[in-house]
Amino acid sequence: MSGLEGLYQEIILDHAKRRNGEGELPDATSQHHELNPSCGDELTMRIRLDPARERIEDLAWEGDGCSISMASASVLVESVRDMPVA
């Protein structure tokens, strides 16, 4: 396994165990639900924007699926929280 593959695996395993943003977001501005019929992964993503609707204040998700799917949601939350919308 190359160093890059090992790093990728480490990130996926870390986020699969320590899931950032997993849970409810009761004051969400919007939400979106997806189901992958080919594998059964299911995810609902919720987002809260600032009052001016210019920045992502918070992001949360709930779902069930493979480690890669759940880790991807966790990485997304970590990556886009507090970013500008456009």
Side-chain angles (χ1 to χ4, degrees):
M1 180 181 328
S2 75
L4 186 57
E5 288 172 342
L7 178 62
Y8 173 75
Q9 185 176 19
E10 182 180 326
I11 290 169
I12 294 298
L13 291 174
D14 182 46
H15 279 272
K17 293 176 188 170
R18 180 187 54 85
R19 297 175 172 183
N20 292 319
E22 184 178 31
E24 296 183 16
L25 188 60
D27 54 348
T29 307
S30 186
Q31 74 174 24
H32 184 77
H33 178 81
E34 285 292 330
L35 169 66
N36 184 337
S38 64
C39 67
D41 289 354
E42 192 165 5
L43 183 77
T44 300
M45 184 70 66
R46 293 180 180 90
I47 188 170
R48 182 177 64 233
L49 302 177
D50 71 332
R53 300 178 76 85
E54 295 175 351
R55 298 192 74 74
I56 298 170
E57 278 190 351
D58 205 1
L59 198 64
W61 60 274
E62 294 179 294
D64 188 35
C66 70
S67 294
I68 293 174
S69 173
M70 301 298 100
S72 296
S74 176
V75 170
L76 176 69
V77 167
E78 190 174 88
S79 300
V80 303
R81 189 177 276 148
D82 201 39
M83 287 188 68
V85 172

